[in-house]
């Protein structure tokens, strides 16, 4: 690609797009095709396609070893895993959750008539602010769900302290945090339980899939029954349940992805570093940092765009990038409290969520993963710089409907 140097070369100003192949956030990472197909042949030879098959069993044992937890239960996806875990923990009434998350977090509560009570976030970490949790507790509150947004552990100790003192259950939506650690311990062993997502758009995927990790024997036993209709053996249903099972083909993908976990993280880290150096010292832009001693998976490269300092609103930058076939995303716009049914249930929720509202106008997720090269990132960064340098022109062009 020829580096763009002047404003009129930008696609949004009428130039041709920088990339002919579209760059995505969350393009699936595929471990190794032949290893995967070999496992699939094994599944077909055994004619054992689901119901706690060989691959699922191996996948669960390997996850337990990797995460250092007693129990890991593979599931069909993280949303069902959250629903089942919430139910197995006996949560009812009200549960405190951030609004700045994927909508599955509150949906997994509301789906079973539990009210999500939205808590604001800490603008530094983007995660639930423990200092704001306590004032939201009522006699109906039974639990807290923290989300390790962007794979950065939320304030685990502070939440655990409140949960312990107020006798609340503590669950973590760890959908972003597979392969991450906190104080030398892998995410998966904190709170009453933690839930991972292995959806195709996550950096580690099983097509669709998820898992619950816990050190609680009784909780694990209840979850195992619940995800398999309550069957304790042939013809013996001892519990109410649903169908949350992971299939063999998903576990085969998971095993293959596990074999390549470190390579994928290394590429994500390399990409993150390329963005960090490409966007260093750009006015009005902050790259969400991954720092300290913790392990990260670097699967999200998240920008905060300060309109005043950058000279352009996040949404204009987004449109300019889309015109170049750089499909950046506004995760998690506009915040769950502005989505249905919550918007109708709690029309004034925004007043209690000033930081969430502010951040939802500023964040942008950039393309990364094994489908994005370092050279791509150099080009993306130079385009972001060029757009910002010409913020007024780009904003005016978009306002006049040019190229849209
Ligand atoms: C992806 C995601 C989920 C849902 O995961 P699925 O496996 O697609 O059901 C839940 N919470 C968060 C924060 C997510 O990003």
């Amino acid at each position: 690609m020829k580096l763009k140097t002047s404003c009129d070369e930008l696609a949004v100003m009428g130039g041709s797009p920088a990339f002919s192949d579209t760059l995505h956030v969350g393009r699936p990472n595929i471990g190794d095709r032949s290893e995967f197909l070999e496992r699939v042949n094994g599944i077909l030879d055994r004619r054992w396609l689901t119901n706690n098959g060989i691959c699922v069993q191996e996948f669960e044992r390997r996850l337990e070893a990797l995460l250092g937890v007693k129990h890991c239960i593979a599931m069909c996806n993280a949303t069902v895993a959250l629903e089942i875990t919430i139910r197995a923990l006996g949560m009812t009434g009200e549960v405190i959750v951030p609004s700045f998350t994927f909508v599955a977090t509150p949906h997994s509560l509301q789906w079973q008539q539990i009210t999500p009570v939205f808590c604001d976030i800490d603008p530094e970490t983007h995660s639930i602010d423990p200092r704001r949790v306590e004032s939201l507790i009522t006699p109906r509150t039974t639990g807290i769900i923290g989300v390790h947004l962007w794979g950065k552990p939320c304030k685990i100790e502070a939440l655990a302290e409140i949960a312990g003192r107020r006798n609340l259950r503590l669950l973590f939506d760890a959908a972003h945090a597979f392969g991450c650690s906190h104080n030398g311990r892998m995410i998966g062993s904190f709170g009453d339980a933690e839930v991972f997502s292995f959806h195709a758009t996550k950096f580690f995927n099983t097509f669709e899939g998820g898992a619950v990790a816990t050190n609680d024997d009784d909780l694990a036993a209840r979850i195992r029954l619940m995800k398999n209709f309550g069957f304790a053996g042939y013809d013996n249903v001892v519990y109410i349940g649903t169908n949350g099972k992971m299939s063999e083909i998903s576990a085969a993908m998971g095993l293959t992805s596990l074999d390549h976990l470190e390579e994928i993280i290394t590429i994500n880290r390399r990409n993150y570093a390329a963005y960090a150096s490409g966007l260093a010292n750009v006015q009005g832009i902050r790259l969400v940092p991954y720092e300290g001693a913790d392990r990260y998976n670097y699967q999200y490269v998240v920008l905060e765009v300060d309109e005043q300092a950058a000279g352009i609103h996040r949404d204009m930058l987004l449109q300019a990038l889309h015109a170049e076939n750089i499909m950046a995303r506004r995760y998690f716009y506009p915040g769950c409290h502005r989505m249905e049914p919550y918007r109708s249930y709690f029309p004034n929720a925004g007043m209690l969520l000033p930081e969430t509202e502010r951040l939802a106008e500023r964040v942008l997720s950039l393309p990364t993963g094994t489908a994005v090269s370092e050279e791509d990132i150099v080009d993306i960064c130079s385009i972001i710089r060029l757009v910002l340098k010409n913020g007024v022109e780009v904003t005016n062009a978009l306002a006049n409907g040019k190229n849209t």
Side-chain angles (χ1 to χ4, degrees):
M1 190 192 93
K2 186 182 149 291
L3 215 59
K4 299 190 181 199
T5 50
S6 76
C7 182
D8 48 293
E9 287 175 280
L10 289 169
V12 76
M13 304 301 284
S16 51
F19 293 93
S20 46
D21 293 331
T22 307
L23 295 175
H24 293 276
V25 176
R27 191 112 192 264
N29 297 315
I30 317 282
D32 180 294
R33 190 179 296 242
S34 61
E35 280 172 41
F36 170 66
L37 293 175
E38 205 172 299
R39 285 192 169 98
V40 173
N41 277 324
I43 293 168
L44 299 178
D45 290 344
R46 286 191 292 278
R47 291 184 186 255
W48 188 354
L49 307 186
T50 186
N51 289 3
N52 203 30
I54 300 285
C55 288
V56 163
Q57 292 179 40
E58 186 187 346
F59 185 47
E60 289 184 343
R61 299 303 80 75
R62 282 186 60 184
L63 289 177
E64 286 160 359
L66 175 73
L67 303 176
V69 286
K70 280 168 83 176
H71 308 282
C72 205
I73 303 140
M75 298 260 195
C76 57
N77 60 57
T79 307
V80 167
L82 282 168
E83 287 167 8
I84 289 178
T85 308
I86 285 162
R87 197 172 175 118
L89 281 169
M91 287 181 176
T92 57
E94 296 174 1
V95 170
I96 297 167
V97 290
S99 169
F100 196 70
T101 177
F102 183 58
V103 73
T105 321
H107 272 3
S108 60
L109 293 162
Q110 190 65 52
W111 187 254
Q112 39 199 338
Q113 274 78 50
I114 301 168
T115 303
V117 173
F118 293 120
C119 182
D120 210 2
I121 48 166
D122 179 338
E124 272 304 305
T125 64
H126 296 186
S127 281
I128 187 167
D129 187 346
R131 294 167 300 187
R132 295 173 186 257
V133 167
E134 200 128 12
S135 65
L136 300 173
I137 298 174
T138 74
R140 280 168 50 78
T141 308
T142 57
I144 304 168
I145 301 181
V147 182
H148 304 308
L149 211 76
W150 318 135
K152 290 153 65 92
C154 62
K155 293 269 166 50
I156 294 175
E157 286 74 23
L159 293 174
E161 191 277 323
I162 298 167
R165 187 160 42 75
R166 303 296 297 262
N167 193 27
L168 303 174
R169 311 317 302 258
L170 179 59
L171 172 62
F172 291 108
D173 178 340
H176 295 183
F178 185 67
C180 301
S181 76
H182 175 60
N183 290 345
R185 250 166 81 187
M186 293 299 279
I187 294 294
S189 61
F190 295 97
D192 290 304
E194 304 206 61
V195 172
F196 296 103
S197 171
F198 306 141
H199 184 258
T201 53
K202 268 50 179 199
F203 88 105
F204 173 94
N205 87 86
T206 62
F207 294 92
E208 288 266 5
V212 185
T214 181
N215 283 314
D216 181 331
D217 299 341
D218 295 334
L219 178 67
R222 283 198 298 279
I223 292 171
R224 285 199 180 281
L225 286 170
M226 281 185 171
K227 68 124 208 253
N228 189 27
F229 313 102
F231 274 107
Y234 283 120
D235 306 332
N236 186 23
V237 172
V238 298
Y239 215 82
I240 182 163
T242 182
N243 184 354
K245 299 188 299 304
M246 176 178 276
S247 76
E248 281 293 271
I249 195 135
S250 286
M253 188 67 167
L255 288 166
T256 309
S257 301
L258 266 186
D259 289 337
H260 298 275
L261 183 66
E262 290 308 319
E263 294 155 44
I264 299 170
I265 292 177
T266 300
I267 289 169
N268 284 348
R269 192 196 304 121
R270 177 205 72 189
N271 285 356
Y272 179 82
Y275 274 116
S277 77
L279 295 172
N281 308 317
V282 178
Q283 273 261 322
I285 276 192
R286 171 181 180 256
L287 200 59
V288 171
Y290 295 103
E291 51 201 11
D294 292 336
R295 251 180 73 107
Y296 301 104
N297 58 35
Y298 301 90
Q299 70 173 313
Y300 295 103
V301 177
V302 181
L303 281 188
E304 263 182 65
V305 184
D306 174 351
E307 183 180 6
Q308 295 299 313
I312 191 168
H313 188 273
R314 183 269 319 267
D315 291 348
M316 301 292 162
L317 174 58
L318 181 82
Q319 287 190 53
L321 293 176
H322 283 193
E324 308 286 351
N325 287 331
I326 304 165
M327 300 310 281
R329 299 287 308 272
R330 299 184 291 186
Y331 290 164
F332 288 97
Y333 181 82
C336 295
H337 67 288
R338 287 181 177 268
M339 296 178 175
E340 292 295 356
Y342 315 108
R343 178 166 70 192
S344 298
Y345 291 170
F346 319 113
N348 300 318
M351 281 158 58
L352 288 171
L353 302 166
E355 299 297 348
T356 301
E357 299 242 293
R358 195 169 147 273
L359 191 63
E361 286 294 319
R362 296 160 66 105
V363 290
L364 206 55
S365 244
L366 296 171
T368 185
T370 54
V372 179
S373 72
E374 258 179 300
E375 294 73 45
D376 292 338
I377 294 170
V378 170
D379 294 344
I380 294 170
C381 291
S382 86
I383 285 167
I384 292 175
R385 286 167 173 274
L386 189 58
V387 172
L388 262 56
K389 213 172 105 194
N390 298 281
V392 176
E393 290 84 342
V394 170
T395 302
N396 288 340
L398 283 166
N400 295 332
K402 194 169 167 183
N403 197 51
T404 52

